[in-house]
Amino acid sequence: MAERLLHIEALDAFHGDFQALFGISLSLAPGETLALIGANGAGKTSLLRAICGLTEARGGLLLNGRDLAPLPTPERACTGIAMAPEGRRLFPSLSVAENLMMGARIARPGPWNMQSVCALFPILAEFAERPAGLLSGGQQQMVAIGRALMANPALLLLDEVSLGLAPVVVDELHAALASLRGQMAIILVEQDMRRALAASDRFVCLLEGRLVMQGASNGADTAALARAYFGED
Amino acid sequence: MAWIETILNGLMLGGLYALFGLGLSLIFGVMRIANIAHGELVIAGAFLAFTVTGAVPIHPFILLPVVVLVMFGVGYALQAGLVNHVLGTDPLRPLLLTFGLSIVVQNLLVELFGADNRALDPGPLRTASLDLGPLSLGVLPLGTFLVALALFGALHWALAHTGWGRMVRATSDDPEIVALMGVDRRRVFASVMGLSAALAAIAGMLLAMRTSITPFSGTERLLIAFEVIVIGGLGSIWASLLGGLALGVVHALGFRLDPASGLLYGHLLLLVILLARPEGLAGKRKVR
């Protein structure tokens, strides 16, 4: 069996009384990129939040063989998990540089620092002292990804990277993400199926909280995937 | 000239008022809760000083760092042991808890110290004055004002230029997401409550050097603290300073006009601000 960084076994997740995920099982190798595909409400964000400990979950959740279940979110972050959450969720009263520094609070040794993040997204160096809340959506997404990279994570969770952004900005972001492939394990949530497959090694399709299809991204049967996406038999 | 002196005295008094509001404003800004026990923390700081100066003949100013440290610990423990457990989506729970705490602290102080008036003796500072030509300013009020300014400046610096300040501002912006950066918001909240209690204790000691207080004096100081942050506006510690100075000046002018109802003018100022500029003097106006 290939070396596993993340192993999820029969994971259920809950938002209060509402069950968002049902028995999800999957694993991820170091340096592998996994695309999470699914319609709105399929459970993609819930899965990422469950991995981080932001959403209540039950089931097996191991990172490098370590059981994450008993760990609260801050301690899980220290094990090497970083996330660029849906909606960016920057700290608007902090400057761009300060947002990036927040990401570096629990940095593991690695190549990512202020210089390398600004080399990936040069606009951030120009706006370093500007309050993050004043940036455009695309620039905010760059800060969110940069903030997550500053931790030098073993597992990077990227939620809805291109949501609400202009195509030209999405192109720029995906070009940057392509350069990250292989450096760390990535779980990418992306609405655009074509982009998601192009940016990943494997895909997982969720439907109403259940895993309904998975496979290699390269050469994936997109017609079958579209049927799984919409829940058509 | 007498009016100028009154305004200057109002500004000095306003520095102390601003200090009452500073800790409350900090708590509200970071945790979005109103700490109803804030007035009791002000008074508890003064009573802690009474206890020590009653046992050891020591000047209150020398005692200040000790009281600050002890009250920081009290605030930290209150937050970690009690308030953190009721934080959530319902703002009523921390409100009720701190209301209950205020009653407990008040009764505890009565039980331990009785209900008599007490004051800290600042020695010759109580009556010392600076003669500036035709104007005369009390040294103690001036010192209180300068201490308040220094504390506002220090807090601003700490929030803007330290890792702790960055963490506090980030937690205030998004307490859920900071956890992804390894921050335990409960610890941040506890440190902020500790700091708020320490600032309240300094204000309490300065108050007790100016006037006598009882265990019941916290209620009036809480009211002043609320008026300070509403008049100044939420969202910035400097707004609290502005609110405190405005309230101090209005109180001083009110007492000069009508010694029987000086405080009333402060309440009227609050009413006018709420009607004419609900975002406060320094608050940002919402664009519709």
Side-chain angles (χ1 to χ4, degrees):
Chain A
M1 183 185 282
E3 186 191 353
R4 288 189 304 204
L5 175 79
L6 177 72
H7 181 66
I8 297 173
E9 185 70 41
L11 189 78
D12 298 331
F14 305 85
H15 299 295
D17 294 334
F18 173 73
Q19 185 164 357
L21 294 177
F22 299 85
I24 301 292
S25 297
L26 58 86
S27 58
L28 195 64
E32 189 179 26
T33 298
L34 176 76
L36 271 185
I37 295 170
N40 284 339
K44 307 182 297 293
T45 296
S46 296
L47 179 55
L48 297 194
R49 288 176 59 88
I51 293 170
C52 292
L54 293 174
T55 290
E56 184 195 344
R58 286 200 289 266
L61 194 53
L62 302 175
L63 187 78
N64 276 325
R66 183 177 179 187
D67 185 10
L68 296 180
L71 302 182
T73 302
E75 288 182 39
R76 289 192 196 193
C78 296
T79 64
I81 300 174
M83 178 157 79
E86 183 181 12
R88 276 82 78 172
R89 305 281 292 269
L90 298 183
F91 306 118
S93 69
L94 271 60
S95 69
V96 168
E98 286 179 317
N99 267 275
L100 296 178
M101 280 190 267
M102 282 300 295
R105 276 194 80 255
I106 46 163
R108 302 171 337 133
W112 294 102
N113 53 36
M114 200 69 86
Q115 285 74 31
S116 50
V117 166
C118 289
L120 184 68
F121 299 119
I123 194 83
L124 300 189
E126 192 181 326
F127 292 155
E129 299 308 317
R130 188 172 291 194
L134 299 182
L135 301 185
S136 70
Q139 290 160 353
Q140 288 194 17
Q141 190 60 274
M142 291 172 193
V143 179
I145 295 170
R147 186 178 64 180
L149 287 174
M150 289 287 283
N152 280 297
L155 174 61
L156 176 63
L157 309 176
L158 299 172
D159 198 358
E160 301 284 14
V161 172
S162 57
L163 189 67
L165 302 179
V168 64
V169 178
V170 178
D171 287 342
E172 194 180 342
L173 283 169
H174 272 272
L177 294 182
S179 70
L180 302 180
R181 281 182 72 178
Q183 296 187 41
M184 66 203 79
I186 300 173
I187 300 182
L188 172 70
V189 170
E190 171 63 68
Q191 289 282 349
D192 184 331
M193 197 188 299
R194 183 183 55 82
R195 283 187 189 279
L197 292 174
S200 60
D201 302 305
R202 285 193 302 125
F203 74 88
V204 158
C205 182
L206 300 179
L207 178 70
E208 294 175 352
R210 290 178 170 83
L211 196 159
V212 289
M213 187 177 176
Q214 60 181 319
S217 299
N218 192 12
D221 181 348
T222 51
L225 183 53
R227 287 197 298 276
Y229 184 102
F230 291 111
E232 297 167 359
D233 292 325
Chain B
M1 202 53 72
W3 286 101
I4 294 174
E5 199 170 272
T6 301
I7 290 171
L8 286 175
N9 283 326
L11 289 173
M12 307 290 117
L13 180 64
L16 181 61
Y17 286 176
L19 215 44
F20 291 153
L22 181 58
L24 194 67
S25 169
L26 184 64
I27 292 288
F28 189 84
V30 177
M31 288 185 250
R32 308 288 188 272
I33 64 168
N35 177 16
I36 303 297
H38 187 72
E40 274 61 43
L41 291 175
V42 170
I43 299 306
F47 273 83
L48 180 61
F50 295 152
T51 309
V52 180
T53 51
V56 187
I58 186 172
H59 194 278
F61 274 127
I62 297 169
L63 189 61
L64 204 59
V66 179
V67 172
V68 163
L69 276 178
V70 172
M71 288 304 290
F72 178 89
V74 168
Y76 194 102
L78 277 180
Q79 183 70 32
L82 290 173
V83 185
N84 272 343
H85 298 284
V86 299
L87 290 180
T89 51
D90 184 0
L92 197 59
R93 295 174 71 199
L95 195 76
L96 289 173
L97 176 74
T98 55
F99 176 61
L101 264 177
S102 74
I103 294 172
V104 169
V105 173
Q106 213 172 73
N107 284 286
L108 200 64
L109 290 176
V110 173
E111 192 67 32
L112 291 173
F113 300 97
D116 296 340
N117 281 310
R118 289 163 182 262
L120 282 172
D121 181 13
L125 279 179
R126 184 186 288 278
T127 51
S129 64
L130 276 179
D131 289 325
L132 306 168
L135 298 173
S136 178
L137 288 179
V139 170
L140 185 60
L142 183 61
T144 302
F145 179 71
L146 294 176
V147 167
L149 278 189
L151 288 172
F152 269 84
L155 182 60
H156 173 84
W157 180 85
L159 286 171
H161 299 293
T162 67
W164 173 82
R166 191 163 59 235
M167 198 162 62
V168 168
R169 286 183 289 135
T171 306
S172 167
D173 279 350
D174 197 327
E176 183 183 54
I177 293 302
V178 284
L180 295 172
M181 283 107 224
V183 176
D184 183 344
R185 63 177 166 182
R186 293 168 305 176
R187 286 191 187 171
V188 175
F189 290 160
S191 71
V192 168
M193 182 63 93
L195 185 59
S196 171
L199 290 167
I202 296 172
M205 284 185 69
L206 293 170
L207 171 73
M209 286 184 222
R210 289 176 66 116
T211 185
S212 58
I213 59 171
T214 73
F216 304 107
S217 301
T219 310
E220 189 188 323
R221 272 72 208 185
L222 176 69
L223 183 62
I224 288 174
F226 270 122
E227 288 185 343
V228 163
I229 61 175
V230 172
I231 291 169
L234 294 168
S236 148
I237 60 168
W238 295 109
S240 296
L241 181 63
L242 185 62
L245 296 181
L247 191 63
V249 169
V250 168
H251 275 181
L253 290 172
F255 278 115
R256 184 167 176 81
L257 286 169
D258 179 6
S261 52
L263 290 177
L264 174 68
Y265 294 93
H267 304 327
L268 287 176
L269 173 66
L270 176 74
L271 190 64
V272 169
I273 291 288
L274 282 174
L275 289 173
R277 199 177 162 84
E279 67 278 14
L281 293 173
K284 286 180 186 155
R285 211 171 258 271
K286 283 186 181 164
V287 180
R288 289 176 188 238

